[in-house]
Amino acid sequence: MVAVPVVVVPAATVRVVIVAGVVGFGMGIVIGAPVVVVVVGAEVVLPGRVVCGVPDGRPLVLVLVALVHVFHHTPRGYSTGDAPPLDTPGCRVDHEPMQQTSRIRRSVATGLTVIAVVVGVLVPATTASAATTPAVPVTALRVSGTVMVDTAGKAVKLRGVNRSGTEYNCQQGGGVFSGPTDQASIDLLRSWNVNAVRIPLNEHCWLGIDWAPQSTGEPYRAAIQDYVNRLAANGIRSILDLHFTGPKAIWGEQQKEMANTTYSLPFWTSVASRFATSPAVLYEPFNEPHDISVDCWRNGCWMPEGWQAAGYQQLVSTIRATGAEQPIIVNGLDWGHDMSPLTTAMPTDPANALVAGQHLYNFKRCVTASCWSSQFGPVAAKMPMVAGEIGVNDCSTAMPLAFMRWMDANGGDGYVFWNFGVSGCPDGGQYGGSALISDWNGTPTPYGDAVRQYFLSRPV
């Protein structure tokens, strides 16, 4: 939590209140942090002897707005014995000449204002300000009941973004990543208070099967590992997601119904072996299962196209066979949206570190708080729950903001947004309404800015 200096202003004349505001604004520029100016005391005196009461603790900006309104609506040119037709609650006309005690009181108030400015710098407030991710190396996560905790036993809530590109760029001749992955780009993520990045992966590029050698195989694996390590050094965890698979083709694609035994199991043996001792990662064995039975989802099955699907039990067992014990995110059916299999057919895990996954878009069937409570609530009551993809197709912000609030109030353990990329908002593509930024300098789209502001309001 970042401390915010508070300037406490004893109510006196408008001049005192305005001076305090100017001093507070200047102080904010000097220290590079926001300054809260609060008015306390009984009254503020406007020109024309109009006296308005000020409730204790009223932020300065609200006081000034109210006083401007009253001053604007107070008739000019009346005698001190004639009350203006004020209809503003809490205000009156003072017919008595200012007494010496009043002058003394207001002089003292001015002096106290100056003291308050100094105290405001020295005494941190409890009010939260914009928080950013500390550049402190992450520690390992484990599952404890319905939450994820770090090595100190502190509950960890993930605030994250997807960095799409690593799932397709490698097989399109564009290298490994889409967009920069340098320190400046990581600092940009930290400035949003991001503490998790979901990295979509391509099983063919990782394994180096039948594709461009300059961006697949070991060059691809090394690039991913280097990025994960640099994110971890800056306080950001990585979710490694198997996004593109290809059981029969020489390239990976997004649309397959489930992982496969031909390449997905060797992929996870390799990935989990490489990251088995890393405290920075969570595993997501398959992006979005769909159009298969619950039994196939759990145990695998023979697919009509002539390939063997690997179920979640095989995927979990493959990862654990390497000795890796990090949390594993399990997604439901209907492209990761239907969580019912997680309550009836969850795979077993010798490490007891399974996390429920959710993929939520505004065009899916369950997009209201009442539906989330009935469909997602029972899952969150049994295990940690992380939404690995949240997005919209129209740049709207109402549903994503409502869902984050619901997650925070109902035991959710993380929300990860699609997508921290520059495809535009909207650009007409499948996820064109979900671009969080409009350029690689980090200029947020309106949709992205709403997410950023919410992230910044959350504790570090």
Side-chain angles (χ1 to χ4, degrees), residues 45-72:
V45 182
L46 285 160
R49 293 183 182 172
V50 177
V51 181
C52 293
V54 178
D56 279 351
R58 180 66 57 85
L60 175 68
V61 64
L62 298 183
V63 173
L64 292 178
V65 169
L67 295 181
V68 168
H69 171 79
V70 173
F71 186 68
H72 178 71

Side-chain angles (χ1 to χ4, degrees), residues 128-179:
S129 74
T132 56
T133 306
V136 177
V138 299
T139 59
L141 288 181
R142 60 182 176 87
V143 170
S144 177
T146 61
V147 298
M148 294 184 295
V149 298
D150 61 16
T151 53
K154 178 183 176 182
V156 174
K157 306 284 187 180
L158 301 182
R159 300 174 303 276
V161 296
N162 283 263
R163 276 299 310 267
S164 179
T166 43
E167 73 273 38
Y168 60 81
N169 231 34
C170 54
Q171 60 186 33
Q172 294 179 356
V176 176
F177 299 97
S178 176

Side-chain angles (χ1 to χ4, degrees), residues 114-421:
V114 176
I115 295 172
V117 169
V118 177
V119 173
V121 176
L122 299 178
V123 180
T126 58
T127 306
S129 74
T132 56
T133 306
V136 177
V138 299
T139 59
L141 288 181
R142 60 182 176 87
V143 170
S144 177
T146 61
V147 298
M148 294 184 295
V149 298
D150 61 16
T151 53
K154 178 183 176 182
V156 174
K157 306 284 187 180
L158 301 182
R159 300 174 303 276
V161 296
N162 283 263
R163 276 299 310 267
S164 179
T166 43
E167 73 273 38
Y168 60 81
N169 231 34
C170 54
Q171 60 186 33
Q172 294 179 356
V176 176
F177 299 97
S178 176
T181 59
D182 57 7
Q183 185 59 45
S185 71
I186 294 175
D187 290 342
L188 174 61
L189 295 171
R190 290 180 50 246
S191 75
W192 283 45
N193 204 19
V194 163
N195 65 5
V197 170
R198 184 171 179 256
I199 305 174
L201 299 176
N202 183 313
E203 65 185 16
H204 281 256
C205 292
W206 182 276
L207 296 172
I209 297 171
D210 301 325
W211 213 257
Q214 69 273 15
S215 56
T216 65
E218 184 55 29
Y220 182 88
R221 296 190 292 266
I224 297 297
Q225 183 171 23
D226 176 67
Y227 188 46
V228 168
N229 291 344
R230 288 186 292 109
L231 287 172
N234 284 271
I236 300 174
R237 292 179 169 85
S238 295
I239 300 172
L240 302 179
D241 150 53
L242 177 52
H243 211 84
F244 273 31
T245 61
K248 297 181 72 174
I250 63 171
W251 58 82
E253 56 180 297
Q254 182 182 0
Q255 305 299 321
K256 291 305 178 185
E257 296 90 341
M258 191 57 189
N260 61 83
T261 57
T262 306
Y263 299 120
S264 304
L265 297 183
F267 166 86
W268 278 115
T269 296
S270 176
V271 171
S273 296
R274 196 170 188 115
F275 290 100
T277 60
S278 171
V281 303
L282 300 85
Y283 304 115
E284 190 172 340
F286 189 68
N287 175 39
E288 292 179 336
H290 62 95
D291 298 311
I292 54 175
S293 68
V294 173
D295 183 67
C296 183
W297 175 88
R298 187 184 193 278
N299 300 309
C301 62
W302 185 256
M303 298 299 295
E305 292 181 343
W307 54 275
Q308 180 68 34
Y312 265 110
Q313 187 60 67
Q314 290 172 285
L315 294 165
V316 170
S317 298
T318 297
I319 292 171
R320 295 304 183 217
T322 67
E325 296 186 344
Q326 299 99 325
I328 296 175
I329 298 173
V330 178
N331 296 324
L333 290 169
D334 186 21
W335 305 86
H337 184 61
D338 176 7
M339 304 188 78
S340 59
L342 281 69
T343 62
T344 61
M346 199 69 166
T348 60
D349 176 20
N352 294 313
L354 297 184
V355 175
Q358 166 59 215
H359 287 197
L360 179 65
Y361 287 85
N362 64 323
F363 48 81
K364 302 301 287 186
R365 60 176 179 80
C366 191
V367 293
T368 64
S370 59
C371 187
W372 301 329
S373 294
S374 64
Q375 301 298 313
F376 305 165
V379 178
K382 294 178 61 176
M383 66 191 80
M385 175 179 163
V386 171
E389 283 190 26
I390 306 170
V392 295
N393 60 1
D394 59 1
C395 306
S396 59
T397 61
M399 186 278 291
L401 291 174
F403 183 65
M404 285 191 286
R405 288 191 289 266
W406 183 89
M407 287 281 281
D408 287 337
N410 292 276
D413 297 276
Y415 21 76
V416 184
F417 278 79
W418 193 277
N419 168 49
F420 204 79

